[in-house]
Amino acid sequence: MNLPDSSNREKILRVILAKEDLAPDVELEAIANMTDGYSGSDLKVCFVSLCLTYQVLIKRAYMFFSIFWF
């Protein structure tokens, strides 16, 4: 099975992130160029992992600040 090239990875990222509210400076083309050798599934796993990490960081920040401010 062939892995997607840069332009196809960019298309895959657009599909994966279609419902997300991205910042205007997010460059999917640059991300596609940095992910050489990644399959569509790999890209999806990266996105899910990033979301889970972000949720953990937000919860930790909330717990930290709630100790000092409440």
Side-chain angles (χ1 to χ4, degrees):
M1 178 170 83
N2 295 330
L3 295 172
D5 61 7
S6 180
S7 64
N8 283 320
R9 284 192 306 276
E10 184 178 352
K11 291 174 187 174
I12 292 167
L13 287 168
R14 289 192 189 286
V15 170
I16 292 171
L17 300 171
K19 295 182 180 180
E20 301 303 320
D21 194 19
L22 300 177
D25 61 343
V26 173
E27 298 179 16
L28 294 181
E29 181 180 359
I31 296 170
N33 289 331
M34 291 186 279
T35 53
D36 187 38
Y38 283 49
S39 68
S41 295
D42 293 335
L43 295 170
K44 179 70 174 187
V45 167
C46 288
F47 172 70
V48 170
S49 297
L50 177 65
C51 290
L52 293 174
T53 301
Y54 183 72
Q55 288 177 350
V56 168
L57 292 174
I58 293 297
K59 286 179 184 178
R60 285 184 182 169
Y62 176 78
M63 290 172 56
F64 174 78
F65 287 112
S66 67
I67 291 171
F68 296 107
W69 290 359
F70 297 111

